[in-house]
Amino acid sequence: MSPAAPVGTWQPSERELERQRVCRRDRTRRGLVSTAVSLVVFGLVAWVLLSSPGWPRVQALFFSRYHAWESFPDIVRGFGLNVSSFMVAEPVILLLGVLVAVTRWTVSPWLTPLRVLAIAYTDVFRGVPTLLVVFLLGLGVPALQLAGVTTNVFWLGTTALVLSYGAYVAEVVRAGIDSVHPSQLASAEALALTRAQTMRHVILPQALRRQAPPLLNDFVSLQKDTALLAVLGVFEALFRAQDYGNYNFNFTPLVVAAVFFLALTIPLARLTDHLGRRAMRRERGR
């Protein structure tokens, strides 16, 4: 016979223990069913692909071990430019988006021209395809022959990404600002905070915290769109993969480049999902 439990120590009842056993049994059964269904579905997809008449040709063109190994060093060097463009553009985009969103939130009549410019900026750069912005800056700015302005296509392409994504991020941040309850603004005014102090210490921290998942979503898209620099002749991963494929008549390097992008974007996507679930639980808890 087991010794008596100390006074005040919680012990699960027989009904609670039975409920836990049932939950574990249900989880195990659901896991087995989902695993079996997944194996069957993916097995059928693999069987259809591998048994198709054109699979040997596709395998030779897209999944050649020889060409994957031969193109790997060049794609690694090219992907470094993609990462560099992403790391440079991301903080600038966030800063630009916040500045544009805050400008649109102001009410001073003296700042009306800035608000008009902010609205025009977001409308124009959200409406024009990013590829066109890259073309216009990468080809148009060098044609102007402006003194002191760079003609390096890497920096011009990165600037085009900043301008395009800055407009999207500005709208995301503005939505976060609008989602903050008006009582927060009223409380800040009651504490004699200026409008700038209210934005800095009250509104903006809540807005950015709430909009973290969609902001990360935009940065996932930004990482992929760094491949658009290839149209300007920047030797990033996609350009190097295309160059190798055109010379050797094989498309395996494109698959290798895609794997590099996936290796970077999938962790960002999972982080986005995690932050989204945290935000949902936090809102439900209020």
Side-chain angles (χ1 to χ4, degrees), residues 16-33:
E16 173 63 18
L17 293 175
E18 177 63 22
R19 188 190 69 82
Q20 293 177 4
R21 285 193 293 270
V22 170
C23 289
R24 285 195 298 268
R25 189 165 59 247
D26 288 344
R27 285 196 299 268
T28 302
R29 184 174 63 252
R30 288 195 298 269
L32 292 174
V33 170

Side-chain angles (χ1 to χ4, degrees), residues 9 14 18 24 50 63 120 138 142 194 215 225 231 238 248:
T9 302
E14 288 297 327
E18 177 63 22
R24 285 195 298 268
L50 296 178
F63 302 101
T194 64
L215 285 174
D225 279 350
V231 301
L238 177 61
N248 293 278

